[in-house]
Amino acid sequence: QVQLAESGGGLVQPGGSLRLACAASGSTFSAYDMHWYRQGPGKQRELVAAITRGGSTNYADSVKGRFTIARDNAKNTVSLQMNSLKPEDTASYYCYALIDYGLGIKREYWGQGTQVTVSS
């Protein structure tokens, strides 16, 4: 069982920055990939950024060059540094993990989400 808890959301003006953090507990954090998703008002949930257990990253085109995902395996945390924020980045942001336990068993875990509002 894994618990994910996001923090760091809030209200920021366009062009500003925020740093989200996700703390994981309950399993071997370094052994699985981590993701950030978001869901804006009236929109489907979308993948924002991902980082593999080996540290490789990928990003949605809409956030490339502005957002940075990183992980700290010693602290069981994954972060999302968001710079040059735009109103269209307004969304609830969710931490997500898909863990492969072997023998065909995979489980999904979601955090409760943290709200990011970009507005003047």
Side-chain angles (χ1 to χ4, degrees):
Q1 187 74 12
V2 172
Q3 285 109 33
L4 303 174
E6 302 95 338
S7 61
L11 173 64
V12 63
Q13 292 186 341
S17 298
L18 278 176
R19 183 177 182 274
L20 306 183
C22 172
S25 62
S27 188
T28 307
F29 178 77
S30 61
Y32 48 89
D33 302 342
M34 294 297 299
H35 310 74
W36 284 98
Y37 279 79
R38 68 184 181 188
Q39 187 166 17
K43 298 181 181 180
Q44 290 188 330
R45 193 170 291 190
E46 62 174 351
L47 177 65
V48 176
I51 185 166
T52 68
R53 55 188 176 181
S56 298
T57 59
N58 66 70
Y59 299 91
D61 287 343
S62 59
V63 306
K64 280 182 182 176
R66 300 188 297 122
F67 290 12
T68 302
I69 188 171
R71 65 189 300 155
D72 185 337
N73 291 335
K75 296 182 179 179
N76 283 14
T77 59
V78 60
S79 62
L80 186 69
Q81 178 67 43
M82 306 185 295
N83 299 327
S84 303
L85 282 161
K86 304 175 181 180
E88 51 263 44
D89 294 319
T90 294
S92 292
Y93 284 72
Y94 299 89
C95 188
Y96 168 82
L98 173 63
I99 300 178
D100 185 347
Y101 290 100
L103 301 178
I105 300 172
K106 296 183 180 181
R107 298 263 165 83
E108 294 184 313
Y109 299 94
W110 290 93
Q112 81 286 354
T114 185
Q115 179 66 35
V116 172
T117 302
V118 185
S119 175
S120 55

